[in-house]
Amino acid sequence: NVTTLALFYPDSCKLEELVVIEDGVSGVQWSPDDGVCVIVTGSGKLMLMSEEFECIKDADAKPEAFGTEHQTQVGWGSKDTQFHGSAGKDASQQPVFATPTPISVHDTEETRITWRGDGQYFAVSTVEPRGDDSFRVVRIWTREGVHTATNEPIPGLEESLCWKPSGNLITTTAFSNNMHKVMFLERNGLCHGEFTLSLNEPNTAMSGVHWNCGSNVLAVVYEGLNKSHVLLYTVSNYSWQLKQHYTYEAGSITLMWDPEQELKFHLAVGTRYICYQLCSKVMKCNDTTTLVLDDKQVLTTPMSKMCIPPPMSHCQLVTESTCNSISCHGDNAWLLCNNRTIYRFNNITDAMEGPVHPDEAYVIEKEFPLPSYAALRHLVMVAPNKAFCVAIINDSDALLTLELEDKEVFVVSCMTLEDTVVNLAQHPNTGTIVLQLYSGELFELTDGMLEPWGNQTMRECVQFSEMDLAVFSDEMVVIGRTDFNHLYMDTRLWSYDCTSYSLHRTHLLLTSHTHTLLCVPLSQPAHVARTTEGVVDTGIRAVERGSRLVVSDPTKSRVILQMPRGNLELIHPRPLLLTYLAALIEEGKYEAVFEEVRRHRVNMNFIFDYHPEQFISSLNGILTQVNSSFLELFIAELCEEDTTLTMYSFMGTVSTSAGNKVEAVCKGLIQTISQSESMLPWLNVIVSCYVKIDDIPAGLLCIKDIYQTNPVETEGAIKYMLVLTDDEALFNHALSTYDLDLVLLIAQFTQKDPKEYLLFLNELKSHDELFRKFKIDQHLGRETSALESLVKCDARFEEVCAFVTAHSLHAAALAHYPVGSNEFNVIGQMFGGLLREKGDHEEAGIMYGQCGALKESLSCLRLTTQSHLALSIAAQLHLPSDQVSGIAEQLAGNLKRTNKHSEAARLLDRYCDNPDEAVEVLCEGSLFSEALEIAQMRKRVDLIPDIMEALKQQTETTHAMLCERRESVLKWAERIEVVRTRRATIGTGFEDMDHSDLYSDVTSITATSAASSSATRRTAKSSKGRRKQEKKKYSLKEGSKFEYFAIQEAFKQVMVMLREEKEKIRDMVNILLLQGQRQLSQKLLQSQADLVASVNKHISAIWPSPAPDPEVEAPEEVEPISHPPDFAVQVWALQQFKSC
């Protein structure tokens, strides 16, 4: 019994002895990370060894204690206090745990060890003698060798043991009542579910259970004297379904799942090695009827009619053997089973509820050789009596062409392939068939020959786990998804995170790892339907985590997803729904359109926006199809927004709406309804239209016309209008019709007190028609309309004047009287007085002039700068010269204050005969040439020295200003490079910079309150404060927040100043030269030239390019100067200074 543990080196085929165990070894297993090795010796000891084979822990492998996590009963929730239903109170007396039974005759009494996926726990299944019998027990241990729990007693417990990789359950098997069961244990040893295996053959023992790496497929291995079996199970909604059943000749079977690809497993049967690559795909008939494999039946549900989650179904297609391949052609389904038979089921979409037996069975000819370990697969029906499938012949894959006749399947042709076929797909409409080999190469089956698909190279080929054919913009494309959730279009990688996909009539749907559903329109070419991020530029919808696409109804917008726990969810993605609505609109089925829009809460504007011309032309048909309540909702939601360009722009439709949508729809409906035989069914629609276009009076008049013959129906329309508008507004709209009978009718349905409105209506009836309209308009606040009615009344001019004065309607009143009339002059003088009070002296003077009040006009105009008008009116009044001189002197003062020095000097010289003051004014405005002209014309030589003195002072001031600006330009050019470098190094930092420099130095602003404080200040500032704040934004202080933009703004102001001062400097230089001041004129010209040269030199430093500086992004508070202003200042150069 001595056992030696050794390491085997495959490269050198050598053994290295490591540990000698004298008691022998009954079980050994490495942890998933190869850090700990569990050894159970023949004497019942448990040894934990490190990767260097140093003993970590030595313990008894069969302790009698339950473990450290022993269950404790706290009293409540015990079995005797629970409700047991129909079992009665006696059920509380039954034992909590079942009585264990001895091991079966098939138990090899081997010790089985299994580790949890994270390597923190492991379970050991051993056989223990108790009296004359032996029992099997499962114990759970920690990685450190601490015994934590023992399984609860299970009748017929067997040796199979496997811990689910996800870590939540331990899987084992039991045999009792002549049935094999798969049992699940929790880490505390308690049972957690079970299911019975369908296979029940004599002389067959359970060899083992094996989970794949994704914890979603359970493989059960049987070994028998005659045959061995491998069963593959999956679970959905806590129901276990047998998906595949493989049968082999008698012999030992060893199964191991691939550690990377979850649907791939390796099998050793006797001396033969077999590798299986499975795929998980939703089988569908007519794209809507789902077919789910479950042992000897196929669960079928027409999802277009009902949404039934598995394991439930509408009907069950029953066969005599396990089905391994399904193909559909039209409404018929063909099932390829392990007993070499193809079963046909007709019209499964309309099948009755319950079990359905095949309409026909076709048996494959017995002479055709098929190995026992590989059944036929990839069945594709191309016609009711013709099919393709793949078989293994002489250890190579072969493509078979089958014909189904007289209940028998004949092999017409057999094409041997160089590689294994992993996928076979057919397009339902075109019949194109494409297959994929294990290498990833794609081939099209054409006339019995295989042609390479597209332009593909071996480097681009990728093996797909599921594959389909789709047409993108008239181009046939192979769509394939890999085990790593990569989606390919032909050989081009299209998405990195596609967990499932489904083909719709107009879209490709796919779910992603970000828990979203993406809808890709098939109208776009496949190479442009994807963006650089791998996300389609169309409708995106969030879905539940782990959702998988099951069915997308090609004729409607229904999409069914399956959640991880198995339940189904029915949704209507917006892109599919809008496409379906668009198809209904084009077919003119507006009744269905309105129902779908209402049901799915789609914006009703889409009904018009998708096809405006068709909607307007189909109004008669809409009225015959659509209920009035739908039209009322449609009108209420109607707006000018074009939804095909805003919220539903992803549809890519081109809008043909010409604007004024609301008015066009409402007026079109009103016109169409008015032309119908009866307007009564559509009264609420008419009311809604008039309210929508804000023409409620017209709607009220329409109601009044119908009220005479149908008062009951009209009352409902009035009540509906009161729902759309409030009582007071509707009463006022009724008044605006000037129809007092209508007003009384409406008032009866409002909440107004009759004592109020009856007195008011009686008062109105006492007036004549024009004055009644005036009173109504005055009551409604429509002063302009009221004035128009009042003017038409006889002998009421005093009331007109009072009304005009009260409401400031002078301009409107003047339009009703001819110019020169007494009424025009009276109202005009009133208007002039009002304008004078407002300080608008210029318009007041003009108004007085129109009315013939020249004195009042002159008194207003002499306060303005309109010197020509004022002096013209003074001439008309024949005023004496001294008064005219005084008026001119006052006008000159006004002109001087507005910097119009030349005009002011003209008045002083011409009308006031005051050349001294005229020259002084011109010198203030730097108009020295005009000042010299007046001095010479008046022969006042004594004024020339004063002019020259003022000229010299202005020259020195201008020279100093130009020199100062030049120094500033040099400083800014150097500083802006520093600012630009700092911004490029540390970023713009506008978000993180403190705003406190925008306020006073004593202001305290914290990081948490800066935003709220600035918002409060901004709303509370006066206009003066806001101007001050704007100036602070462009602070040239070094290190300020907007220093970069402040430099640009200051440089711009220098350029503007140079352009504005150009002619003034030229005028000063000319006069200086004429007066012999050469040095002073040359000095001024040089300072100007130096500044212009400096600006031209450094303008590229301030604005490095015509585009905005990429290193500095302007914040929202500042309007950036993206390029320099136009600057074309040419320095005036004189010939006499060229030699200087």
Side-chain angles (χ1 to χ4, degrees):
N1 292 329
V2 177
T3 302
T4 301
L5 298 181
L7 285 178
F8 174 71
Y9 297 94
D11 296 337
S12 59
C13 296
K14 293 182 180 181
L15 286 173
E16 179 184 352
E17 296 183 1
L18 298 174
V19 179
V20 177
I21 301 177
E22 297 180 354
D23 296 337
V25 175
S26 61
V28 61
Q29 186 69 40
W30 281 99
S31 64
D33 58 356
D34 296 330
V36 178
C37 180
V38 179
I39 301 174
V40 178
T41 66
S43 61
K45 290 185 178 181
L46 180 72
M47 300 176 61
L48 296 182
M49 306 190 73
S50 65
E51 54 186 344
E52 289 84 13
F53 287 92
E54 296 178 356
C55 185
I56 301 174
K57 183 71 176 291
D58 190 353
D60 183 9
K62 304 175 182 179
E64 295 183 359
F66 179 86
T68 59
E69 299 181 2
H70 183 72
Q71 303 294 323
T72 302
Q73 181 59 261
V74 297
W76 56 270
S78 60
K79 189 176 182 65
D80 55 355
T81 62
Q82 293 176 353
F83 177 70
H84 299 280
S86 61
K89 294 183 178 180
D90 295 338
S92 62
Q93 308 301 324
Q94 301 297 326
V96 177
F97 299 114
T99 303
T101 58
I103 60 176
S104 67
V105 295
H106 302 294
D107 199 320
T108 60
E109 300 187 13
E110 293 181 2
T111 299
R112 297 291 180 91
I113 305 172
T114 181
W115 281 86
R116 199 169 76 171
D118 59 357
Q120 298 301 314
Y121 291 88
F122 64 90
V124 180
S125 177
T126 58
V127 175
E128 300 179 7
R130 296 180 185 175
D132 297 334
D133 298 320
S134 296
F135 299 86
R136 182 168 287 279
V137 180
V138 178
R139 293 180 175 86
I140 295 91
W141 303 75
T142 65
R143 184 184 181 93
E144 292 76 20
V146 178
H147 176 217
T148 61
T150 304
N151 71 293
E152 68 172 84
I154 299 175
L157 185 62
E158 295 183 320
E159 61 194 70
S160 300
L161 191 69
C162 183
W163 205 316
K164 194 174 182 180
S166 59
N168 54 350
L169 293 175
I170 303 169
T171 308
T172 183
T173 59
F175 183 78
S176 63
N177 299 327
N178 295 323
M179 291 185 299
H180 281 285
K181 294 182 179 180
V182 175
M183 311 290 295
F184 300 100
L185 304 176
E186 298 180 5
R187 190 175 61 81
N188 57 12
L190 298 180
C191 289
H192 186 88
E194 63 182 51
F195 70 93
T196 303
L197 298 175
S198 58
L199 183 63
N200 188 16
E201 291 187 1
N203 300 322
T204 303
M206 183 74 66
S207 173
V209 291
H210 308 271
W211 281 102
N212 69 332
C213 61
S215 300
N216 52 11
V217 182
L218 177 65
V220 180
V221 180
Y222 280 96
E223 291 183 3
L225 297 177
N226 300 322
K227 292 181 179 180
S228 298
H229 307 269
V230 174
L231 310 179
L232 301 182
Y233 284 89
T234 62
V235 64
S236 177
N237 268 353
Y238 304 99
S239 175
W240 290 86
Q241 298 171 341
L242 177 60
K243 295 300 182 182
Q244 291 293 332
H245 181 183
Y246 302 102
T247 305
Y248 309 94
E249 298 176 356
S252 175
I253 294 181
T254 302
L255 185 146
M256 184 179 69
W257 285 96
D258 193 273
E260 295 182 354
Q261 302 183 39
E262 62 179 28
L263 295 181
K264 182 177 182 180
F265 67 92
H266 310 270
L267 201 64
V269 182
T271 59
R272 181 181 294 275
Y273 163 74
I274 307 173
C275 177
Y276 288 89
Q277 177 70 53
L278 308 173
C279 69
S280 176
K281 185 176 181 180
V282 179
M283 297 302 301
K284 292 171 287 188
C285 181
N286 281 343
D287 293 327
T288 57
T289 302
T290 58
L291 300 99
V292 180
L293 292 177
D294 186 11
D295 197 5
K296 297 180 182 180
Q297 63 179 358
V298 176
L299 310 180
T300 306
T301 302
M303 293 295 180
S304 59
K305 302 178 181 179
M306 60 197 73
C307 186
I308 302 177
M312 298 181 293
S313 63
H314 175 67
C315 63
Q316 302 82 37
L317 309 182
V318 181
T319 60
E320 297 178 359
S321 179
T322 304
C323 177
N324 59 36
S325 185
I326 302 175
S327 180
C328 294
H329 190 273
D331 282 341
N332 302 335
W334 280 262
L335 276 58
L336 178 59
C337 298
N338 288 339
N339 59 354
R340 300 170 60 101
T341 304
I342 298 178
Y343 297 95
R344 188 190 69 193
F345 294 84
N346 296 334
N347 199 15
I348 62 173
T349 303
D350 299 326
M352 299 297 292
E353 185 177 356
V356 178
H357 296 280
D359 295 284
E360 199 70 60
Y362 302 90
V363 181
I364 300 175
E365 53 182 320
K366 297 181 180 179
E367 294 78 8
F368 191 78
L370 287 175
S372 60
Y373 61 85
L376 296 175
R377 67 187 193 277
H378 297 308
L379 177 66
V380 174
M381 300 298 301
V382 295
N385 62 344
K386 184 178 180 181
F388 292 99
C389 70
V390 179
I392 296 180
I393 301 177
N394 299 326
D395 294 336
S396 297
D397 270 10
L399 182 64
L400 306 182
T401 304
L402 308 178
E403 286 191 359
L404 286 65
E405 293 182 2
D406 300 329
K407 298 183 180 182
E408 192 171 355
V409 179
F410 299 96
V411 180
V412 178
S413 64
C414 178
M415 180 189 304
T416 304
L417 304 174
E418 298 179 355
D419 204 349
T420 304
V421 177
V422 294
N423 282 295
L424 189 65
Q426 178 187 24
H427 193 274
N429 297 332
T430 63
T432 305
I433 297 177
V434 175
L435 61 84
Q436 185 182 44
L437 301 182
Y438 187 81
S439 61
E441 293 180 274
L442 298 171
F443 293 91
E444 180 181 0
L445 182 60
T446 306
D447 298 329
M449 302 296 293
L450 293 181
E451 300 291 340
W453 178 265
N455 299 321
Q456 55 181 335
T457 62
M458 286 299 297
R459 185 180 63 182
E460 297 175 337
C461 295
V462 180
Q463 186 184 132
F464 304 143
S465 60
E466 55 179 317
M467 186 178 77
D468 284 289
L469 294 174
V471 178
F472 272 88
S473 184
D474 300 329
E475 177 188 2
M476 185 71 69
V477 177
V478 174
I479 301 176
R481 191 180 70 89
T482 68
D483 290 331
F484 302 102
N485 295 324
H486 291 177
L487 188 70
Y488 285 81
M489 298 287 184
D490 290 338
T491 56
R492 181 174 59 254
L493 179 61
W494 197 88
S495 176
Y496 293 94
D497 59 346
C498 174
T499 56
S500 66
Y501 72 88
S502 177
L503 281 169
H504 186 264
R505 178 175 56 87
T506 58
H507 287 77
L508 168 65
L509 312 178
L510 60 145
T511 56
S512 65
H513 286 302
T514 56
H515 322 308
T516 54
L517 173 67
L518 312 177
C519 303
V520 186
L522 297 180
S523 58
Q524 299 181 4
H527 65 279
V528 301
R530 172 186 176 272
T531 62
T532 55
E533 293 81 7
V535 180
V536 293
D537 188 18
T538 181
I540 301 178
R541 176 195 175 110
V543 294
E544 186 177 336
R545 181 185 182 94
S547 300
R548 296 292 186 272
L549 285 163
V550 177
V551 166
S552 57
D553 192 339
T555 60
K556 296 183 179 180
S557 59
R558 295 161 53 98
V559 174
I560 298 177
L561 299 99
Q562 187 171 27
M563 306 301 107
R565 55 189 174 276
N567 62 305
L568 301 180
E569 181 179 343
L570 172 62
I571 63 173
H572 293 264
R574 274 293 186 264
L576 270 64
L577 177 60
L578 294 177
T579 303
Y580 174 56
L581 293 175
L584 292 177
I585 292 173
E586 292 176 354
E587 296 174 6
K589 299 179 179 179
Y590 282 97
E591 181 180 8
V593 171
F594 275 87
E595 290 178 354
E596 293 294 328
V597 165
R598 174 74 184 280
R599 180 181 296 112
H600 300 290
R601 297 184 178 181
V602 177
N603 192 305
M604 286 192 167
N605 286 271
F606 178 79
I607 303 174
F608 174 85
D609 295 336
Y610 179 74
H611 208 318
E613 294 84 358
Q614 178 180 327
F615 185 91
I616 296 297
S617 62
S618 304
L619 286 177
N620 285 318
I622 293 174
L623 292 178
T624 58
Q625 296 182 46
V626 182
N627 189 283
S628 62
S629 59
F630 282 158
L631 286 177
E632 293 163 16
L633 292 174
F634 169 71
I635 296 169
E637 198 169 350
L638 201 61
C639 64
E640 293 295 344
E641 177 189 0
D642 190 344
T643 56
T644 61
L645 300 178
T646 55
M647 63 178 67
Y648 303 135
S649 60
F650 53 81
M651 286 197 64
T653 57
V654 179
S655 176
T656 57
S657 178
N660 297 326
K661 176 176 67 175
V662 176
E663 184 177 357
V665 171
C666 293
K667 289 186 175 180
L669 282 172
I670 294 172
Q671 181 180 0
T672 305
I673 293 173
S674 62
Q675 295 173 356
S676 61
E677 296 180 357
S678 175
M679 298 174 57
L680 294 180
W682 311 103
L683 269 181
N684 289 351
V685 177
I686 295 177
V687 167
S688 300
C689 291
Y690 279 118
V691 172
K692 195 67 179 181
I693 60 177
D694 200 17
D695 193 7
I696 297 178
L700 292 173
L701 292 175
C702 179
I703 289 177
K704 181 187 175 183
D705 295 338
I706 303 175
Y707 182 78
Q708 305 298 331
T709 56
N710 299 279
V712 177
E713 291 81 356
T714 310
E715 289 177 1
I718 295 174
K719 293 177 181 179
Y720 181 70
M721 185 173 284
L722 285 171
V723 174
L724 301 178
T725 59
D726 60 273
D727 294 358
E728 190 66 29
L730 189 60
F731 182 80
N732 292 335
H733 282 296
L735 275 175
S736 65
T737 63
Y738 309 114
D739 190 333
L740 298 184
D741 294 335
L742 177 61
V743 175
L744 182 60
L745 174 64
I746 298 300
Q748 293 174 359
F749 292 93
T750 64
Q751 301 296 323
K752 296 177 69 67
D753 188 356
K755 295 180 180 179
E756 299 178 1
Y757 66 81
L758 288 177
L759 291 175
F760 176 63
L761 294 179
N762 292 331
E763 180 188 353
L764 292 177
K765 288 182 179 180
S766 63
H767 299 300
D768 59 86
E769 182 180 358
L770 288 175
F771 197 72
R772 184 191 308 144
K773 289 184 179 181
F774 163 72
K775 283 293 186 180
I776 291 175
D777 290 331
Q778 185 182 21
H779 174 77
L780 297 178
R782 301 190 303 186
E783 289 83 6
T784 304
S785 179
L787 176 64
E788 184 177 353
S789 300
L790 185 60
V791 168
K792 295 178 181 179
C793 296
D794 297 331
R796 292 187 181 270
F797 184 69
E798 293 182 0
E799 296 182 23
V800 170
C801 294
F803 188 76
V804 166
T805 303
H807 299 283
S808 300
L809 295 175
H810 302 82
L814 289 174
H816 293 286
Y817 298 103
V819 178
S821 63
N822 182 49
E823 292 84 358
F824 184 91
N825 293 336
V826 171
I827 296 177
Q829 292 187 28
M830 292 166 55
F831 194 17
L834 178 64
L835 294 174
R836 176 187 287 183
E837 292 177 1
K838 291 181 178 180
D840 193 352
H841 298 96
E842 180 177 342
E843 191 168 354
I846 299 298
M847 192 68 250
Y848 278 126
Q850 293 181 67
C851 301
L854 298 182
K855 292 184 178 180
E856 289 79 1
S857 177
L858 179 60
S859 65
C860 292
L861 289 176
R862 68 186 299 172
L863 300 176
T864 68
T865 58
Q866 299 294 329
S867 58
H868 297 283
L869 293 177
L871 294 175
S872 173
I873 292 176
Q876 294 180 44
L877 293 173
H878 304 288
L879 297 178
S881 59
D882 56 340
Q883 292 186 16
V884 173
S885 176
I887 294 172
E889 187 175 358
Q890 185 177 4
L891 290 170
N894 298 339
L895 292 169
K896 180 180 177 182
R897 284 190 292 273
T898 57
N899 294 325
K900 296 181 179 180
H901 299 86
S902 179
E903 181 68 16
R906 183 184 68 84
L907 295 178
L908 292 171
D909 182 44
R910 180 176 178 181
Y911 292 95
C912 301
D913 194 20
N914 191 351
D916 296 327
E917 189 174 353
V919 168
E920 182 180 354
V921 169
L922 290 173
C923 290
E924 288 181 8
S926 299
L927 301 174
F928 300 104
S929 58
E930 294 185 22
L932 286 174
E933 179 185 359
I934 291 177
Q936 296 292 347
M937 294 295 295
R938 290 281 187 167
K939 298 181 180 181
R940 292 290 303 277
V941 183
D942 58 309
L943 296 177
I944 295 178
D946 296 335
I947 297 174
M948 292 305 301
E949 183 64 27
L951 176 60
K952 291 179 182 179
Q953 293 179 2
Q954 183 63 32
T955 302
E956 294 294 340
T957 303
T958 305
H959 169 71
M961 181 266 294
L962 294 175
C963 294
E964 181 186 357
R965 292 291 189 274
R966 181 172 178 273
E967 294 176 0
S968 299
V969 166
L970 297 176
K971 178 182 177 181
W972 296 336
E974 296 176 358
R975 179 61 188 171
I976 201 167
E977 294 296 336
V978 177
V979 174
R980 185 179 290 113
T981 304
R982 179 167 59 90
R983 297 287 188 184
T985 303
I986 64 176
T988 57
F990 292 132
E991 301 83 358
D992 302 327
M993 292 183 67
D994 188 9
H995 291 68
S996 58
D997 60 344
L998 300 179
Y999 310 107
S1000 62
D1001 295 337
V1002 298
T1003 304
S1004 176
I1005 302 178
T1006 62
T1008 57
S1009 62
S1012 61
S1013 299
S1014 62
T1016 304
R1017 287 180 173 86
R1018 185 163 53 251
T1019 56
K1021 283 186 187 301
S1022 62
S1023 58
K1024 181 179 180 180
R1026 285 193 296 269
R1027 288 194 299 270
K1028 184 178 180 182
Q1029 188 66 39
E1030 288 296 325
K1031 292 181 180 180
K1032 283 191 174 183
K1033 285 183 180 180
Y1034 296 100
S1035 173
L1036 289 171
K1037 179 182 177 182
E1038 293 188 3
S1040 64
K1041 180 179 179 181
F1042 305 126
E1043 182 183 3
Y1044 182 87
F1045 305 101
I1047 293 176
Q1048 288 185 334
E1049 178 65 24
F1051 203 91
K1052 171 189 171 184
Q1053 296 301 326
V1054 171
M1055 299 168 68
V1056 172
M1057 179 273 296
L1058 280 172
R1059 187 167 57 244
E1060 293 176 351
E1061 297 290 328
K1062 175 183 176 182
E1063 293 300 326
K1064 186 181 294 186
I1065 293 176
R1066 180 173 182 173
D1067 187 37
M1068 293 167 61
V1069 169
N1070 286 335
I1071 297 175
L1072 288 171
L1073 290 174
L1074 288 174
Q1075 298 299 323
Q1077 302 291 334
R1078 288 177 55 85
Q1079 294 182 353
L1080 192 57
S1081 62
Q1082 185 176 0
K1083 178 181 177 182
L1084 181 59
L1085 275 178
Q1086 188 63 41
S1087 61
Q1088 181 195 22
D1090 292 344
L1091 179 56
V1092 171
S1094 180
V1095 168
N1096 287 325
K1097 178 180 179 181
H1098 297 102
I1099 193 171
S1100 59
I1102 305 299
W1103 288 279
S1105 62
D1109 194 340
E1111 296 179 355
V1112 181
E1113 182 180 357
E1116 295 182 358
E1117 297 93 328
V1118 176
E1119 181 179 354
I1121 305 173
S1122 58
H1123 54 81
D1126 295 334
F1127 185 66
V1129 176
Q1130 299 294 331
V1131 179
W1132 184 55
L1134 295 176
Q1135 297 290 332
Q1136 54 188 294
F1137 289 142
K1138 282 189 175 181
S1139 61
C1140 298

